[in-house]
Amino acid sequence: MTTDARANDARAMRRLHVITWGCQMNVYDSARMQDVLAPLGYAPTDRAEDADMVILNTCHIRENASEKVFSELGRLRPLKQVRPGMIFAVAGCVAQAEGREIVARAPFVDIVMGPQTYHRLPEMVARAARAAGAVIETEFPAESKFDHLPESAAPAISAFLTIQEGCDKFCSFCVVPYTRGAEASRPMPAVLAEARQLVAGGAREIVLLGQNVNAWHGDLGNGRSGGLGRLIRELAAIPGLLRLRYTTSHPRDMDADLIAAHREVPGLVPFLHLPVQSGSDRVLAAMNRGHTADHYRRLAERLRAARPDLALSTDIIAGHPGETEADHQATLALIRDVGFAQAFSFKYSPRPGTPAAGAPAQIAEVEKDRRLADIQVLLRDQQADFNRGCAGKVIKVLFTGQGRHRGQVAGRSPWLQPVHMTGPASVIGTETAVRIIEGRPNSLAAEPLPQTEELACA
Ligand code: 5AD
Ligand code: SF4
């Protein structure tokens, strides 16, 4: 290489720092933004100080989301004073919902882009270099971003794959239908092609993502259309793929074929995140969830009948407008009846533009705090019990990397619990039977099996 060529190369080399908030779909989007920018010479860096471009991939689902973005921008701003050529981009749902306000309050931001537009990033970067003001892309474009994305760089052992975006359910409290748009499924051939490519690159688990992933529906190629159960069966047939998961689901879209897939597809993990939000029929109706508490209880029973070792996870909201003490008690009763291995719970947070935000019977903050605390004590106990119950069992763990300590490997159980084990690095990338020696509140400790037992279990 000549000196000139080397100098050009050094100039072409740029650094990209991405900060991600929110759900796994944002984690997936951030990875794909890195893929889109790689051909322009952008390599990832962990340090904003070293970056030529910083992307803030934001989440709008609960309160303070935009304030967090503005405070992060305030923290980053001095970097731009030192390096005026630096590009600041705000992506994701806050960008979608509050694009104009971002530019007004933080005029040093160069790019504001909604979640459907990041395939246009190279063009936006070029425009930002020329433009005096910010480049704003928050329309929902006619073309799908998925048709314009490059193949992903080396996938992880557990890889995300977005198969569906947006939502038509319009729950009273939720911004997703407004920020991510209408429900749209990716076609089956595109999903299968991306899955094959992930597995060829070393992925052993695929996590199917969507705001409403079990609303996925597609053309099966024979003139008939099918749902997620069908897609899962097709994906499970890919050689080398050991595990499949999907998130996040709506109880109304758990159809009989999807439940049957839990019985029939061994690689579909016995773990399901199925948000219920409340255990009160009054509140579920006010939330526009379209089902009752008993419908959810029956669904849990049907899933466990199909796959007896299935564990459930959920989302709960404390203090939706109009929620009474009796409603709150009904939520606690549902949690006790169903029993969750893991869960997320939140204080209701009014989101501008959603129906619940304008409802008259808002619940006082202290009351929401108390109800949330009740819920969290119960959920924490259920999770701890579930983890303790794993002690002594032999289970298959998908090992995904080194653990925190020397000589340790880390992975996930079929129920998504983090597992740590002192053991050989050769297990990384494999699903290996191990013995659980301790079930801790948030993780499991394991030990390798003697060779003979390993064979017996395989
Ligand atoms: N307030 C509190 N929690 C919310 N969620 C969504 N919107 C709100 C809100 N306005 C929760 C729901 C959802 C999860 C992703 O976030 O429980 O399932
Ligand atoms: Fe939001 Fe989920 Fe309801 Fe859709 S189904 S509106 S994403 S909470």
Side-chain angles (χ1 to χ4, degrees):
M1 199 188 272
T2 64
T3 320
D4 273 358
R6 243 180 254 126
N8 274 339
D9 247 33
R11 265 202 299 275
M13 172 75 176
R14 297 166 180 153
R15 303 230 164 256
L16 171 66
H17 180 67
V18 185
I19 304 171
T20 309
W21 286 277
C23 64
Q24 285 156 331
M25 302 210 40
N26 268 14
V27 175
Y28 177 89
D29 285 354
S30 291
R32 302 320 302 271
M33 286 190 244
Q34 295 185 6
D35 295 337
V36 171
L37 289 171
L40 272 66
Y42 282 98
T45 172
D46 290 341
R47 288 164 44 90
E49 297 75 19
D50 299 340
D52 299 284
M53 177 167 179
V54 178
I55 300 178
L56 280 67
N57 194 8
T58 62
C59 171
H60 203 232
I61 197 105
R62 282 174 297 276
E63 220 160 11
N64 297 332
S66 26
E67 285 318 310
K68 268 190 235 155
V69 175
F70 286 115
S71 87
E72 189 65 34
L73 281 169
R75 205 180 63 80
L76 293 169
R77 185 181 193 171
L79 299 179
K80 197 156 176 170
Q81 281 152 1
V82 183
R83 303 172 66 186
M86 207 168 171
I87 297 176
F88 282 172
V90 180
C93 294
V94 175
Q96 184 68 41
E98 299 183 27
R100 298 267 155 215
E101 171 151 10
I102 291 169
V103 177
R105 278 181 63 183
F108 51 94
V109 167
D110 304 282
I111 297 174
V112 174
M113 55 181 160
Q116 306 306 333
T117 63
Y118 60 75
H119 58 295
R120 295 184 180 170
L121 249 174
E123 180 201 322
M124 289 186 238
V125 169
R127 275 165 54 205
R130 291 193 305 266
V135 173
I136 305 181
E137 286 262 6
T138 50
E139 296 297 310
F140 289 97
E143 81 277 8
S144 161
K145 67 181 171 192
F146 294 110
D147 296 337
H148 295 82
L149 289 172
E151 292 190 349
S152 64
I157 291 165
S158 174
F160 292 142
L161 199 173
T162 294
I163 62 167
Q164 180 281 341
E165 274 200 277
C167 181
D168 296 334
K169 297 275 192 297
F170 289 94
C171 297
S172 60
F173 51 83
C174 184
V175 285
V176 166
Y178 311 96
T179 56
R180 291 269 178 169
E183 201 275 317
S185 297
R186 287 179 72 190
M188 176 133 93
V191 172
L192 290 176
E194 186 169 339
R196 286 196 194 98
Q197 179 222 322
L198 289 170
V199 175
R204 293 293 165 262
E205 173 180 70
I206 290 184
V207 184
L208 304 174
L209 298 181
Q211 263 91 30
N212 215 325
V213 73
N214 59 343
W216 184 91
H217 55 97
D219 185 348
L220 301 179
N222 53 4
R224 303 212 339 257
S225 70
L228 184 60
R230 191 66 250 150
L231 180 66
I232 284 172
R233 289 177 179 85
E234 296 286 333
L235 287 164
I238 297 175
L241 181 60
L242 303 175
R243 280 188 184 180
L244 272 167
R245 294 196 270 130
Y246 59 95
T247 196
T248 288
S249 296
H250 193 293
R252 254 158 67 194
D253 292 319
M254 287 306 304
D255 64 25
D257 187 53
L258 183 54
I259 295 174
H262 280 276
R263 174 184 295 119
E264 291 159 21
V265 180
L268 182 57
V269 295
F271 179 84
L272 179 61
H273 182 66
L274 191 61
V276 65
Q277 315 296 359
S278 169
S280 151
D281 289 347
R282 270 188 68 247
V283 176
L284 287 168
M287 285 176 164
N288 192 31
R289 294 287 291 174
H291 65 85
T292 61
D294 276 350
H295 171 91
Y296 189 92
R297 286 184 176 88
R298 278 197 302 276
L299 206 48
E301 279 167 17
R302 285 171 64 206
L303 282 158
R304 285 172 171 149
R307 181 88 199 234
D309 59 345
L310 184 123
L312 285 167
S313 153
T314 201
D315 291 342
I316 303 275
I317 296 180
H320 184 272
E323 186 188 78
T324 62
E325 179 59 27
D327 296 323
H328 170 57
Q329 291 301 327
T331 297
L332 295 174
L334 178 128
I335 297 172
R336 278 189 211 99
D337 290 349
V338 175
F340 293 100
Q342 196 257 337
F344 301 98
S345 48
F346 315 98
K347 225 169 30 161
Y348 168 72
S349 130
R351 309 311 296 128
T354 58
Q362 299 290 326
I363 308 297
E365 234 25 59
V366 284
E367 188 55 28
K368 286 196 264 185
D369 285 335
R370 184 189 64 79
R371 293 180 193 175
L372 182 65
D374 284 355
I375 290 165
Q376 291 189 334
V377 166
L378 186 52
L379 290 171
R380 230 189 344 260
D381 283 354
Q382 291 191 341
Q383 177 173 327
D385 281 354
F386 182 75
N387 288 357
R388 255 196 311 272
C390 293
K393 288 193 176 151
V394 171
I395 64 172
K396 280 191 173 177
V397 173
L398 179 63
F399 286 98
T400 49
Q402 302 282 355
R404 235 181 274 155
H405 303 293
R406 245 179 104 86
Q408 225 183 31
V409 283
R412 295 266 176 180
S413 78
W415 304 280
L416 215 57
Q417 298 137 299
V419 183
H420 306 278
M421 177 175 88
T422 301
S426 57
V427 295
I428 295 171
T430 70
E431 206 181 25
T432 301
V434 300
R435 184 182 310 284
I436 302 303
I437 49 177
E438 192 187 347
R440 302 176 184 153
N442 296 308
S443 65
L444 304 177
E447 65 180 14
L449 290 182
Q451 208 89 48
T452 45
E453 271 188 82
E454 203 171 319
L455 287 173
C457 184

